[in-house]
């Protein structure tokens, strides 16, 4: 079991490092090709930061471990709201009055409702539904681009200049791209294969691995970024990152799961995980719509809710 845990940890490290290198290399290539920053932010940066979740999901589905894929989507969204927002709020308050965020929060709730409707009405994401989700994310990106071009704000429009360590030389750019493209499937393979084996040995549902280890691991970059911003008293950036990440998880990662071969929802996901995810999305949307501030008390509550959720998952681990 110890070896399996070490391999899972190694997979996470490789996955996250490869994802970071891939984004930096792709942004460097876009700069060499003189692609406008708005296009880079909407495509390379927005999709690239979700690359670890995408690759893990595709690998899980292709390996017959669709439970890890579903757990990753649901768990990442829950962790994004309660942990990625809760922990930084303990350091410095997060204002919810960011321009344009109320509309993105509404879109996030609509995506959550559609994803949940698929779970309860169909019970699985098949190829057609996966394709529908991918069409929706492409439409959302295009719409966000139009909003940004007209001077409006959007949660997913990233500034490529904020990406550190972007190479300027063609050879270095190519090296980062190659390492990122090789490392992503390697890390995903270690994570999914060994995570699935842990679930089998412990006789727990695969979703548990996706909801906890995988979801927490793939949320670490967002968490570290937001905590760093909170230490600089600039934690307001957190809300846009969380809302944008949740939309991508539901539509892009969910769509990839369907197109890659399909993924089914288990009973516990329908009875517990999805309602909790929807409640978390509604909670953060209420803060945004009400222009409320996430202070230390809210941060304590959010973080406590996340830890409580993990504790409940642990107590029901044997229910498969």
């Amino acid at each position: 079991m110890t070896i399996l845990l070490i391999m899972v940890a190694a997979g996470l490290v490789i996955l996250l490092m490869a994802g970071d290198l891939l984004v930096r290399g792709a942004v460097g290539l876009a700069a060499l090709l003189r692609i406008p920053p708005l296009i880079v932010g909407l495509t390379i940066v927005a999709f690239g930061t979700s690359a670890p979740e995408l690759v893990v999901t595709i690998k899980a589905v292709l390996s017959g471990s669709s439970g890890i894929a579903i757990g990753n989507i649901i768990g990442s969204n829950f962790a994004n709201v309660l942990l990625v927002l809760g922990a930084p709020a303990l350091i410095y308050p997060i204002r919810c009055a960011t321009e344009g965020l109320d509309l993105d929060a509404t879109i996030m709730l609509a995506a959550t409702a559609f994803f949940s409707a698929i779970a309860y009405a169909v019970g699985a994401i098949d190829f057609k539904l996966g394709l529908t989700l991918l069409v929706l994310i492409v439409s959302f990106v295009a719409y966000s681009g139009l909003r940004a071009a007209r001077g409006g704000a959007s949660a997913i429009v990233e500034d490529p200049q904020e990406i550190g360590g972007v190479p300027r030389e063609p050879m270095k750019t190519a090296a980062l791209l190659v390492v990122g493209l090789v490392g992503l499937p390697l890390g995903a393979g270690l994570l999914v294969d060994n995570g699935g084996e842990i679930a089998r040995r412990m006789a727990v549902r695969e979703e548990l691995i996706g909801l906890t280890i995988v979801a927490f691991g793939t949320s670490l970059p967002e968490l570290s970024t937001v905590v760093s911003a909170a230490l600089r008293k600039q934690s307001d950036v957190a809300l846009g990152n969380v809302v944008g990440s949740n939309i991508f998880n539901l539509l892009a990662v969910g769509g990839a799961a369907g197109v890659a071969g399909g993924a089914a929802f288990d009973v516990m996901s329908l009875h517990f995980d999805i309602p909790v995810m929807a409640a978390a999305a509604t909670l953060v949307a209420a803060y945004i719509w009400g222009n409320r501030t996430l202070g230390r008390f809210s941060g304590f509550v959010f973080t406590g809710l996340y830890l409580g959720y993990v504790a409940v998952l642990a107590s029901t681990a044997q229910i498969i």
Side-chain angles (χ1 to χ4, degrees):
M1 185 66 72
T2 301
I3 298 298
L4 291 176
L5 290 172
I6 291 173
M7 297 301 284
V8 165
L12 273 173
V13 172
I14 294 172
L15 188 72
L16 298 179
M17 290 180 63
D20 178 62
L21 294 176
L22 180 63
V23 170
R24 285 195 274 158
V27 172
L29 177 61
L32 292 173
L33 297 176
R34 301 182 183 279
I35 297 175
L38 175 60
I39 302 300
V40 176
L42 281 167
T43 56
I44 294 173
V45 179
F47 281 93
T49 51
S50 294
E53 289 92 336
L54 278 167
V55 177
V56 166
T57 295
I58 292 171
K59 168 62 179 175
V61 171
L62 293 177
S63 301
S65 299
S66 64
I68 292 179
I70 292 295
N72 181 32
I73 296 169
I74 297 173
S76 291
N77 276 28
F78 191 79
N80 278 344
V81 171
L82 298 183
L83 185 62
V84 175
L85 288 180
L90 293 172
I91 301 172
Y92 191 76
I94 300 173
R95 292 183 295 112
C96 299
T98 307
E99 180 188 355
L101 198 56
D102 53 348
L103 178 56
D104 287 314
T106 302
I107 294 173
M108 178 190 67
L109 271 188
T112 302
F114 185 61
F115 185 87
S116 301
I118 291 173
Y120 291 111
V122 183
I125 306 175
D126 58 18
F127 181 85
K128 290 183 179 179
L129 287 170
L131 197 59
T132 301
L133 291 172
L134 292 179
V135 169
L136 288 175
I137 190 61
V138 170
S139 300
F140 174 63
V141 169
Y143 172 65
S144 297
L146 289 175
R147 282 170 60 191
R150 293 172 181 171
S154 173
I156 70 163
V157 179
E158 304 276 357
D159 185 358
Q161 295 182 348
E162 295 181 359
I163 304 296
V166 175
R168 303 300 177 187
E169 305 82 10
M171 289 300 295
K172 194 171 182 180
T173 298
L176 291 185
L177 286 171
V178 170
V179 173
L181 289 171
V182 171
L184 277 173
L186 175 62
L190 289 172
L191 182 59
V192 172
D193 293 342
N194 292 282
E197 182 60 26
I198 289 174
R200 285 187 287 273
R201 290 195 183 185
M202 295 180 64
V204 299
R205 59 190 186 116
E206 286 184 337
E207 284 80 2
L208 182 66
I209 303 299
L211 287 163
T212 54
I213 297 174
V214 179
F216 176 77
T218 54
S219 293
L220 281 177
E222 289 91 345
L223 180 61
S224 62
T225 297
V226 177
V227 168
S228 176
L231 291 172
R232 299 193 306 271
K233 299 184 178 181
Q234 298 173 345
S235 55
D236 296 355
V237 69
L239 280 169
N241 288 343
V242 165
V243 171
S245 178
N246 280 13
I247 293 172
F248 266 84
N249 281 338
L250 293 166
L251 301 182
V253 181
V259 171
F265 297 87
D266 74 337
V267 174
M268 281 295 293
S269 291
L270 297 175
H271 289 174
F272 182 64
D273 303 328
I274 292 178
V276 168
M277 177 190 71
T282 303
L283 179 62
V284 72
Y287 269 83
I288 293 171
W289 291 335
N291 291 331
R292 299 182 60 186
T293 297
L294 275 164
R296 288 186 174 86
F297 177 75
S298 296
F300 177 79
V301 172
F302 275 38
T303 306
L305 287 173
Y306 178 78
L307 295 176
Y309 174 69
V310 173
V312 172
L313 286 178
S315 68
T316 59
Q318 297 298 322
I319 301 177
I320 59 174

